Amino acid sequence: MDAISFVLGVKSAQLRSSQLKDLVYRGRRLARSQEGSEAQEEEEEEGDGEGTATKAWVLAVYEDADKKEWRFQRTISINGSSEYKLNNKVVPYSTYNNALIQHNILVKAKNFLVFQGDVEAVASQSPKDLSRLIDQISGSLELAGEYERAKEAQERATENATFNFTKRRGIAGEIKQYKEQKGEAEKFEEMCEQRDELILHRILFKLYNIQESLAAHAHEIRNANEALVGLRAEQEKCEEALNGARAEQARARNEVVQKEKKIKKAEKALESKKPDLVQVEAQIAHSRRKRDNAAKITEQVEKDAEKQRQKLDTLKRDLAAVQRAADEAQEASRRAAQHTMSLSEESLEEYRRLKAQASVLAVDERQSLETLARDEKTASRGLTQLKEKHEYLTNKVAKLEEDEATQRQKRAELEEKVAEITAELTKARQELDNQRTERIRIQQLEAQTNEKLMDVHNKLLQAGVDQRESEREVRLKESLANLQRLFPGVRGRVIDLCKPTQRKYETAVEVVLGRNVDAIVVDEEKTAIDCIEYMRNQRAGQATFIPLDTIQVKPINDKFRSFAKGARLAVDVIQYESAVERAIHHACGNALVCDTLDVARYICYEKAQEIKAVTLEGTVIHKSGLMTGGRSTRDSGRKWDEKDVQGLQRVKDKLLSDLRELNKSKPRGKQEDVLVAEITRLEPAHQVARDDLSACKLRLTGIKDEIKHVKSDLRKLDPELRNAQKKYDALKEQMDALSAVIYEAEDEIFADFCRDIGVSNIREYEERQLKAAEAESVARLQFDTQIARLRHQIQFEEEQLKAIEERLNALQSTIETQDANLQQYAQTKDALQEEIEQADETIEEMREDLKDSSELLDEKTKKVEQAKKVASKAIKAVDQVLKEIAVKNDEIEKLGLERSAMYRKCRLEEIQLPLLGGNLKNVPMEENLREEVAMDVDEDENTTQRPKRVPDYGVEVDFDALEEDEREADVNEKLAELDTAISKLNADIERMAPNMKAMDRLDDVESKLVETEKEADKARKESKTARDQFNDVKRRRCELFNKAYAHISERIDQVYKDLTKGKAAPMGGVAYLTLEDSEEPYAAGVKYHAMPPMKRFRDMEQLSGGEKTIAALALLFAIHSYQPSPFFVLDEVDAALDNTNVAKIANYIRSHASEDFQFIVISLKGSLYERSSSLVGIYRDQEVNSSRTLTLDKPLKV
């Protein structure tokens, strides 16, 4: 396939390498013999085993129907160059390709071969690719460049023709327009002449009235000056009386101030003594409580001392009794020892002998008795221990019960003490709370009074400001009235020229207008300049002017009229006349009035609109995003007079007096400090007492628990004691029985001995001797123990009594000290009370004196007020006359300025003013020359003003053009009539706006129209030529494409049926083509539809691999049938087919192959190539490094 493609001119990119030089084979050569092998090995060692080929070529020999042989050869070298030979002659590629095309071998369309893998790609290609394939096969693709150029030329020519047609139509419209403007220009000139005549007539009428008004105002000023002299004399008298009244008032006020200072000083001294008195009273109460507590404790301690003495006396008596008893016992023992019998040595020897004899009798009983004696001793010790324990527990219960009684008594004392301290602490805290509450109440009253005082102070300040504002507003209104009278075109203040549509918008409208509220609206900028000059000369303050003719007004943005619910343009909530619309729009702009602050935030912040938004309450969100809260600062008309100011002054004095009284009644800090110190002392004492009480209760509870525990032990011990006693009694009985047996035996031995010594039995003698010794020893031990115990207890009680007596001495000392302190504090208290009473009397006397002085000051103040009223009336009368004179002079000055302005206007606008004398050139053109007029005022020594002199510059106007009735007519009505006529003419002239150069432009446009018509005719011809050329190319291309499409569409179904029919489906499948655009089919796509037999319709992508291959082959065979090449090369197109379909393909190839049409098939399936007419094998000859062919019908040879 590579060789065939290569020789037929296919590009290297579609072969197995990207560059032509890579197609040159330079591999190793295989040897034929041993010698050749050795030589080859040597050659490989020298040349690295590669071939030395420098070029490669392929030769194709084709025999046409006339049996003429054509030899096509293509050669390439290792440097990438390519050479073409046709019939052994080197030719260029174009000649080479044309020779192939003569035999219908189309290299670009590749109608002579199908590469491996291209079959499925053909079946899956897009409609656009299929259309391009047909475009190549049909030859219409060669006309594509010519088609695009013709199309572009047609569009360019059409655009040029359209442009010339539009240009011609525009010029024709201009000619019509200029003809209309010519008539308008003639009418415009006529109306301008009428307007100039009316303006001249108005100037004459105005100048005549100015001249008459100047004379009238001068006469009125002279009359007013005569009345001014008397008014000034009266004013001076009133001022002298007022100054005298003020001097007397100042002296009375100074006296009141001095007395108030003395009272304050005395009150301050008094207030400084009251805390000392409170402190002394607190010290007295503290010393009294301390003395009472010491007395109470002394009484209790004395009782304890008496009890201690009684207890000590009892112990001493017990000690004496015990000592006497010991002496008596000792004496009795001595006497008993004297009466005890004594034996001789022979009797004692007899006693010992008999005792030895008796010891061998009743041995068993003796041994048992000894055992029982040991047990008896053990039982006796146990019984003794139990008895001692019982006695100890009994004594302990008694001691604990005594301690319990003591603790109960102590608890009662501590509870009483805690209650007492708690009462004192509660009382101190209550007093402190009362003082603090009183102080807070006084502070609140002081705060309220200070607030009221501040409010009164602010009102006084506001009264002064409002009075000044009122005066300023009066002056402004007077100035405005003068301006409206002197200068025509002064309409008034903005706030007076408009009003809100509803009352709820008043605050918002005032905030929106802002500093433009008091701005003055005038018709012209010149009027504003004249007004400013007048106000500066008269020193009438400042004012802002809005000239309607030059003010810059931005158009209203209509989108804000319905931008948000609850928001509206400020200009929509204001009523005003249409004449001042520009001024209102300038003042308001696009500002919005919003119902709530949320609406304003939504517009300015969420919607990010840079606009001024004002709420009904007056809150403003500026364009910059800043927010200003609060209402308009403009007053609603509050006026202050002298009575209001005096009333506020009296309220201020009363509030100051209340503050002084509150300061007097305010608790002092020293008394509060004493209470805090007392509470500080009581709180630890209270806590200690409570802790002692808690500890006592805990000890009492512990004693109770211990008593319960000891009694429980006693109850448990009683059964043990009884059992031990029973056991001991049983042992004694057994011992007594054994002793009886022993005693009986001893009695027989000692019978004679007993008779000799005079006893009933030997035991009596033994017991008598033993008892005497034991009794003496026991008595001595018992008395010694008691005496030692009593002596130690007496010593302890004496020490306790000594401590109690020392405590009594300390308490007595405390009582004496506190008594002395109480006496000293009482003296200090009496002295302080006496000083305070004297100070109170002195302050009361000073207050009475101050009251008299205050009454005198009130009388003087009333006289001053009366004098003020009289002087004010006189000043007002003088000011009124002066104002009238100033107004007249202002009127004169204004009329003079207006006359000068009219002269200048006539000079500047070249208005021919009729004159009797003088020349308009004498009138100065600079505005600053008006200052000379302002300074030209004569004043005499009585400060009266004469009429101002205004310059006429020597100009005398001729008023003969004015008729008599016009001179006597109302000035305003006549001026309004003339202004209306002039305004109407000006409006008509402004609406006309004629083109005065229309005649000159008309000739130019007519000549331009002739040239444009020539260009338009030329463009139409060029457009027709380009359109005809494009249609011809389009027709030829469509014919070529449609011819190929019609053939392929007609053949595709039959080819597909031939490839798919079989026994199961003798009719085969269905295949057809459809055009997406029938007008220009090559510009759109061609859809290919194939429906295998016995299956429903499906898209090509949903077919199986074999079905796609069959459909693709059918398409390829149909395309090849249009201008077929003499041979068709198929490279393994049966790879995806089963044997059945392979057989169908083979049958189709055999049925369509002929001597004029040859199929060359490359296949690996035997079912295909076994049906071929001839088999050819290709191999590489190693010796010549070239390919060779083999056939089965010839012997295998080179």
Side-chain angles (χ1 to χ4, degrees):
M1 284 296 293
D2 288 344
I4 296 173
S5 302
F6 173 75
V7 73
L8 295 181
V10 176
K11 294 181 180 180
S12 61
Q14 298 176 356
L15 301 178
R16 301 193 185 200
S17 63
S18 60
Q19 297 181 359
L20 286 175
K21 63 181 181 179
D22 294 335
L23 296 175
V24 179
Y25 180 76
R26 288 175 288 172
R28 296 176 179 178
R29 295 182 178 180
L30 298 178
R32 292 292 182 177
S33 62
Q34 187 68 25
E35 297 177 355
S37 298
E38 294 177 357
Q40 184 178 2
E41 290 177 0
E42 294 177 357
E43 184 179 350
E44 288 177 355
E45 290 176 358
E46 294 176 358
D48 293 334
E50 292 187 358
T52 58
T54 58
K55 63 180 180 178
W57 54 269
V58 177
L59 173 65
V61 180
Y62 168 67
E63 186 178 279
D64 59 14
D66 298 333
K67 302 302 181 179
K68 181 179 178 180
E69 187 176 276
W70 294 79
R71 301 177 66 86
F72 296 92
Q73 182 178 345
R74 183 181 181 185
T75 305
I76 58 172
S77 61
I78 58 174
N79 57 8
S81 61
S82 182
E83 183 183 69
Y84 297 93
K85 289 183 179 181
L86 178 62
N87 294 328
N88 297 325
K89 292 182 179 180
V90 177
V91 295
Y93 174 74
S94 57
T95 305
Y96 192 84
N97 188 44
N98 290 332
L100 293 173
I101 292 174
Q102 290 178 2
H103 299 91
N104 283 337
I105 301 174
L106 305 178
V107 177
K108 292 182 179 180
K110 294 188 293 185
N111 65 335
F112 55 88
L113 58 83
V114 178
F115 282 106
Q116 182 180 359
D118 285 353
V119 176
E120 187 173 352
V122 170
S124 302
Q125 63 184 348
S126 64
K128 190 71 177 176
D129 293 337
L130 182 56
S131 174
R132 183 173 180 80
L133 180 61
I134 297 175
D135 202 14
Q136 290 177 341
I137 295 296
S138 63
S140 67
L141 186 61
E142 297 177 357
L143 298 176
E146 186 180 356
Y147 171 84
E148 294 297 333
R149 289 190 296 273
K151 184 177 182 181
E152 183 179 355
Q154 179 198 9
E155 292 175 354
R156 192 165 50 249
T158 302
E159 183 179 356
N160 188 28
T162 304
F163 169 75
N164 283 282
F165 175 76
T166 305
K167 183 177 178 182
R168 178 179 173 279
R169 185 169 60 182
I171 293 173
E174 286 184 24
I175 292 174
K176 180 180 179 181
Q177 182 180 2
Y178 286 136
K179 289 181 179 179
E180 294 175 353
Q181 290 176 355
K182 179 181 178 183
E184 290 181 359
E186 295 174 352
K187 185 179 180 181
F188 176 79
E189 292 176 353
E190 182 181 354
M191 293 177 69
C192 286
E193 292 177 359
Q194 295 178 4
R195 181 193 61 185
D196 294 340
E197 292 177 359
L198 285 174
I199 290 174
L200 177 60
H201 194 75
R202 184 186 184 283
I203 291 174
L204 287 174
F205 180 77
K206 185 65 177 175
L207 289 174
Y208 175 79
N209 283 280
I210 288 173
Q211 183 173 336
E212 293 296 322
S213 297
L214 287 173
H217 290 325
H219 179 70
E220 291 175 358
I221 290 173
R222 285 190 289 272
N223 293 336
N225 280 328
E226 295 176 358
L228 184 62
V229 176
L231 292 174
R232 286 191 181 279
E234 184 179 354
Q235 177 186 357
E236 291 176 357
K237 293 180 181 179
C238 294
E239 289 179 350
E240 291 178 358
L242 177 61
N243 292 332
R246 283 177 174 170
E248 294 179 359
Q249 182 191 27
R251 287 192 293 271
R253 183 179 290 109
N254 290 333
E255 185 178 354
V256 170
V257 171
Q258 293 298 327
K259 291 180 180 180
E260 285 180 348
K261 288 182 179 179
K262 292 180 180 179
I263 292 173
K264 288 181 180 178
K265 186 176 181 180
E267 288 176 347
K268 187 175 182 180
L270 178 61
E271 291 299 329
S272 64
K273 293 177 181 178
K274 285 183 178 180
D276 297 336
L277 178 60
V278 173
Q279 184 177 6
V280 171
E281 289 176 350
Q283 290 174 347
I284 290 172
H286 177 66
S287 296
R288 187 176 288 114
R289 284 196 301 271
K290 196 171 183 181
R291 186 197 62 184
D292 294 341
N293 291 335
K296 189 182 295 183
I297 295 171
T298 301
E299 183 180 354
Q300 182 64 35
V301 172
E302 286 177 350
K303 291 180 181 179
D304 295 340
E306 185 63 30
K307 289 180 182 179
Q308 193 71 17
R309 291 190 190 96
Q310 292 175 1
K311 189 176 181 180
L312 186 59
D313 293 340
T314 303
L315 289 173
K316 287 181 179 179
R317 288 194 297 271
D318 291 343
L319 177 60
V322 171
Q323 286 179 347
R324 287 195 301 271
D327 294 340
E328 291 175 358
Q330 187 175 4
E331 183 64 24
S333 176
R334 185 180 61 79
R335 287 195 300 269
Q338 292 176 357
H339 293 293
T340 302
M341 60 181 64
S342 61
L343 297 179
S344 63
E345 289 295 331
E346 291 85 1
S347 297
L348 287 175
E349 184 66 28
E350 183 66 18
Y351 170 74
R352 294 188 188 96
R353 185 183 62 77
L354 293 175
K355 192 69 174 177
Q357 291 177 3
S359 63
V360 297
L361 298 177
V363 175
D364 295 333
E365 286 78 1
R366 287 182 184 277
Q367 291 178 351
S368 299
L369 182 60
E370 290 178 1
T371 302
L372 291 175
R374 289 193 296 272
D375 294 339
E376 186 269 339
K377 286 182 180 180
T378 302
S380 177
R381 285 195 298 270
L383 181 60
T384 303
Q385 290 176 356
L386 290 174
K387 286 181 178 180
E388 290 176 354
K389 186 176 181 181
H390 188 275
E391 183 180 2
Y392 168 75
L393 292 175
T394 303
N395 294 332
K396 188 174 183 180
V397 168
K399 181 69 170 60
L400 289 173
E401 288 177 349
E402 183 179 354
D403 292 342
E404 182 182 5
T406 303
Q407 292 297 329
R408 286 182 185 277
Q409 183 180 359
K410 188 175 181 180
R411 182 183 67 178
E413 294 174 356
L414 289 172
E415 287 178 348
E416 183 180 356
K417 183 178 180 181
V418 169
E420 182 181 353
I421 296 176
T422 302
E424 293 179 2
L425 184 60
T426 303
K427 182 179 177 182
R429 285 175 175 171
Q430 185 64 37
E431 291 179 2
L432 181 62
D433 291 341
N434 291 338
Q435 288 195 7
R436 288 179 175 174
T437 303
E438 181 67 15
R439 188 178 70 255
I440 292 172
R441 184 184 69 82
I442 292 174
Q443 288 177 351
Q444 290 177 349
L445 290 175
E446 284 182 342
Q448 294 174 0
T449 306
N450 284 324
E451 289 179 1
K452 293 179 181 178
L453 188 62
M454 184 61 68
D455 184 50
V456 171
H457 181 67
N458 291 334
K459 286 182 178 178
L460 286 172
L461 293 177
Q462 187 64 36
V465 173
D466 287 346
Q467 287 177 343
R468 291 192 294 273
E469 284 291 326
S470 300
E471 294 173 2
R472 177 181 176 277
E473 211 166 303
V474 169
R475 290 198 303 271
L476 181 62
K477 288 182 178 179
E478 291 177 356
S479 299
L480 179 61
N482 293 334
L483 293 174
Q484 288 177 330
R485 186 174 61 255
L486 297 175
F487 300 101
V490 179
R491 297 186 177 273
R493 297 186 303 169
V494 172
I495 192 64
D496 299 329
L497 295 174
C498 66
K499 67 176 182 178
T501 57
Q502 299 182 33
R503 290 185 61 85
K504 67 178 182 178
Y505 297 132
E506 289 180 354
T507 301
V509 169
E510 287 183 3
V511 174
V512 168
L513 295 177
R515 58 190 176 87
N516 292 316
V517 167
D518 291 326
I520 300 174
V521 180
V522 297
D523 289 340
E524 300 176 354
E525 183 180 11
K526 179 178 178 301
T527 304
I529 295 173
D530 294 340
C531 291
I532 293 171
E533 189 71 24
Y534 168 78
M535 293 184 70
R536 183 169 68 247
N537 293 333
Q538 296 300 318
R539 297 181 181 178
Q542 296 180 346
T544 302
F545 291 87
I546 302 178
L548 295 175
D549 61 338
T550 60
I551 194 69
Q552 298 295 326
V553 179
K554 295 182 179 180
I556 299 297
N557 194 340
D558 291 333
K559 78 171 184 179
F560 292 115
R561 296 187 189 275
S562 59
F563 189 79
K565 186 177 180 181
R568 58 203 59 80
L569 285 169
V571 295
D572 293 341
V573 299
I574 300 176
Q575 295 178 353
Y576 52 87
E577 296 180 359
S578 59
V580 295
E581 181 178 4
R582 287 172 56 82
I584 301 301
H585 284 191
H586 168 75
C588 297
N590 285 321
L592 294 179
V593 176
C594 303
D595 292 343
T596 62
L597 185 58
D598 294 335
V599 176
R601 286 173 175 165
Y602 169 77
I603 294 172
C604 296
Y605 297 152
E606 295 185 19
K607 292 297 185 180
Q609 298 295 318
E610 294 184 359
I611 193 170
K612 181 179 180 182
V614 183
T615 65
L616 298 180
E617 293 79 13
T619 302
V620 187
I621 299 180
H622 300 275
K623 292 182 179 180
S624 62
L626 297 178
M627 184 182 297
T628 304
R631 293 181 174 270
S632 172
T633 56
R634 290 183 58 83
D635 198 352
S636 59
R638 176 80 169 100
K639 304 299 179 185
W640 300 89
D641 53 19
E642 197 66 29
K643 291 183 179 180
D644 295 331
V645 176
Q646 293 176 3
L648 290 173
Q649 192 65 42
R650 287 194 293 271
V651 173
K652 177 183 177 182
D653 295 338
K654 182 179 181 304
L655 292 174
L656 290 174
S657 177
D658 293 342
L659 280 177
R660 288 194 293 270
E661 293 297 329
L662 289 173
N663 193 31
K664 292 178 185 178
S665 60
K666 185 185 298 183
R668 296 303 168 184
K670 291 184 178 179
Q671 187 177 359
E672 186 173 337
D673 294 340
V674 171
L675 289 174
V676 171
E678 181 68 13
I679 292 172
T680 305
R681 182 189 66 80
L682 289 174
E683 284 179 345
H686 182 260
Q687 186 63 35
V688 170
R690 289 180 60 186
D691 293 342
D692 293 343
L693 180 59
S694 300
C696 182
K697 289 180 179 179
L698 289 174
R699 286 195 296 271
L700 185 59
T701 303
I703 290 171
K704 289 180 180 179
D705 294 339
E706 191 172 358
I707 289 174
K708 291 180 182 179
H709 179 68
V710 172
K711 287 183 178 180
S712 176
D713 291 343
L714 278 174
R715 287 193 296 272
K716 294 178 181 178
L717 187 60
D718 286 341
E720 294 181 4
L721 183 59
R722 288 194 295 270
N723 292 333
Q725 188 66 43
K726 288 180 182 180
K727 184 178 180 182
Y728 180 76
D729 293 341
L731 289 173
K732 292 295 286 186
E733 290 177 0
Q734 291 178 6
M735 290 176 65
D736 290 343
L738 293 173
S739 296
V741 175
I742 295 170
Y743 292 162
E744 185 178 357
E746 287 181 348
D747 288 343
E748 291 179 358
I749 297 298
F750 285 99
D752 295 336
F753 181 79
C754 288
R755 282 192 301 272
D756 290 340
I757 65 175
V759 294
S760 60
N761 53 53
I762 193 63
R763 290 182 299 281
E764 182 179 353
Y765 168 76
E766 292 176 349
E767 288 177 0
R768 188 179 296 171
Q769 293 294 335
L770 181 61
K771 281 182 180 179
E774 288 179 356
E776 184 180 359
S777 175
V778 169
R780 188 182 300 112
L781 179 62
Q782 182 179 1
F783 288 123
D784 290 342
T785 302
Q786 289 181 357
I787 289 169
R789 181 178 62 78
L790 288 172
R791 284 177 178 172
H792 284 99
Q793 192 168 1
I794 287 170
Q795 184 181 1
F796 174 74
E797 295 300 335
E798 286 177 348
E799 292 175 355
Q800 292 294 319
L801 179 60
K802 184 179 179 181
I804 291 173
E805 289 175 351
E806 290 177 355
R807 187 179 180 192
L808 278 172
N809 294 331
L811 291 171
Q812 287 296 334
S813 176
T814 301
I815 291 172
E816 293 173 358
T817 302
Q818 296 303 324
D819 287 337
N821 291 338
L822 284 173
Q823 187 177 1
Q824 182 182 356
Y825 292 151
Q827 293 175 358
T828 305
K829 179 181 178 182
D830 294 338
L832 287 172
Q833 287 179 342
E834 184 178 355
E835 292 177 0
I836 290 172
E837 289 174 357
Q838 291 177 359
D840 285 336
E841 292 176 359
T842 304
I843 291 171
E844 190 62 31
E845 292 175 358
M846 295 172 70
R847 285 178 178 170
E848 292 295 332
D849 192 12
L850 177 63
K851 184 177 180 182
D852 296 338
S853 299
S854 299
E855 291 176 356
L856 179 62
L857 177 62
D858 292 340
E859 292 178 1
K860 300 297 182 183
T861 303
K862 289 180 181 178
K863 290 182 180 179
V864 171
E865 297 301 330
Q866 291 176 357
K868 279 184 179 179
K869 290 181 181 179
V870 175
S872 177
K873 289 180 181 178
I875 291 172
K876 287 181 179 178
V878 173
D879 290 343
Q880 183 63 31
V881 174
L882 289 175
K883 285 181 180 178
E884 291 177 358
I885 294 174
V887 168
K888 298 301 180 182
N889 276 325
D890 292 342
E891 190 73 20
I892 290 173
E893 182 182 359
K894 180 259 179 183
L895 291 172
L897 293 174
E898 186 175 0
R899 183 173 64 183
S900 300
M902 294 179 72
Y903 286 163
R904 279 191 294 273
K905 180 179 179 182
C906 292
R907 181 180 174 184
L908 290 174
E909 297 180 4
E910 298 181 355
I911 298 175
Q912 300 299 323
L913 189 67
L915 301 176
L916 295 175
N919 195 331
L920 290 179
K921 293 182 179 180
N922 297 329
V923 179
M925 299 302 294
E926 298 294 332
E927 292 289 339
N928 54 12
L929 293 178
R930 297 178 185 176
E931 295 178 0
E932 299 176 0
V933 178
M935 293 187 295
D936 189 13
V937 178
D938 292 334
E939 296 185 1
D940 56 16
E941 60 274 7
N942 294 325
T943 65
T944 57
Q945 294 184 353
R946 296 179 180 180
K948 287 186 178 180
R949 295 192 300 271
V950 293
D952 57 4
Y953 307 109
V955 176
E956 186 178 358
V957 182
D958 184 7
F959 298 109
D960 293 340
L962 295 176
E963 298 179 0
E964 194 66 28
D965 56 348
E966 287 182 340
R967 298 182 181 185
E968 296 177 357
D970 183 79
V971 178
N972 294 329
E973 291 181 359
K974 184 62 178 179
L975 288 175
E977 180 183 349
L978 292 172
D979 289 340
T980 302
I982 294 171
S983 299
K984 184 177 181 182
L985 284 173
N986 282 331
D988 293 340
I989 291 171
E990 289 178 0
R991 282 195 299 270
M992 290 178 65
N995 185 1
M996 305 305 293
K997 297 181 179 180
M999 294 298 296
D1000 298 336
R1001 290 289 298 162
L1002 182 61
D1003 296 336
D1004 296 339
V1005 172
E1006 287 178 347
S1007 61
K1008 187 176 180 181
L1009 178 62
V1010 175
E1011 296 177 359
T1012 303
E1013 286 180 347
K1014 293 179 180 179
E1015 293 177 357
D1017 293 338
K1018 181 179 178 182
R1020 281 197 301 272
K1021 294 178 181 179
E1022 291 177 353
S1023 176
K1024 183 176 182 304
T1025 303
R1027 187 168 55 254
D1028 293 342
Q1029 292 176 354
F1030 172 72
N1031 289 333
D1032 179 62
V1033 175
K1034 177 182 176 182
R1035 176 186 56 76
R1036 288 188 285 120
R1037 190 173 181 186
C1038 286
E1039 287 177 355
L1040 291 173
F1041 187 90
N1042 289 332
K1043 180 179 179 182
Y1045 172 77
H1047 174 82
I1048 295 171
S1049 180
E1050 181 181 354
R1051 287 288 301 157
I1052 186 67
D1053 185 58
Q1054 184 60 42
V1055 173
Y1056 189 69
K1057 290 182 182 300
D1058 293 342
L1059 292 177
T1060 57
K1061 63 184 178 180
K1063 294 180 179 180
M1067 296 300 294
V1070 177
Y1072 59 92
L1073 300 175
T1074 56
L1075 290 173
E1076 291 182 350
D1077 185 2
S1078 58
E1079 184 176 354
E1080 289 185 283
Y1082 42 81
V1086 177
K1087 292 185 179 180
Y1088 175 37
H1089 305 280
M1091 186 169 62
M1094 303 175 64
K1095 291 187 179 180
R1096 61 183 178 82
F1097 175 79
R1098 287 185 295 180
D1099 290 336
M1100 189 65 69
E1101 291 79 6
Q1102 297 177 351
L1103 298 179
S1104 64
E1107 292 172 344
K1108 286 182 180 180
T1109 300
I1110 295 296
L1113 289 173
L1115 179 61
L1116 290 172
F1117 291 150
I1119 292 173
H1120 187 267
S1121 64
Y1122 180 76
Q1123 294 183 351
S1125 62
F1127 55 88
F1128 202 25
V1129 183
L1130 303 176
D1131 184 10
E1132 296 187 26
V1133 296
D1134 56 351
L1137 300 179
D1138 55 10
N1139 292 331
T1140 303
N1141 287 322
V1142 170
K1144 293 179 180 178
I1145 295 297
N1147 293 332
Y1148 179 84
I1149 291 173
R1150 287 187 64 87
S1151 61
H1152 288 79
S1154 63
E1155 293 182 357
D1156 298 329
F1157 183 48
Q1158 182 181 13
F1159 281 96
I1160 303 172
V1161 181
I1162 301 172
S1163 176
L1164 299 176
K1165 294 188 177 182
S1167 56
L1168 180 64
Y1169 56 72
E1170 69 183 4
R1171 290 179 172 82
S1172 63
S1173 300
S1174 176
L1175 292 178
V1176 179
I1178 306 297
Y1179 72 98
R1180 180 165 62 90
D1181 189 346
Q1182 294 293 333
E1183 185 175 352
V1184 296
N1185 199 16
S1186 179
S1187 60
R1188 291 288 186 265
T1189 60
L1190 298 174
T1191 59
L1192 289 181
D1193 54 352
K1194 294 182 179 180
L1196 187 61
K1197 63 179 180 180
V1198 177

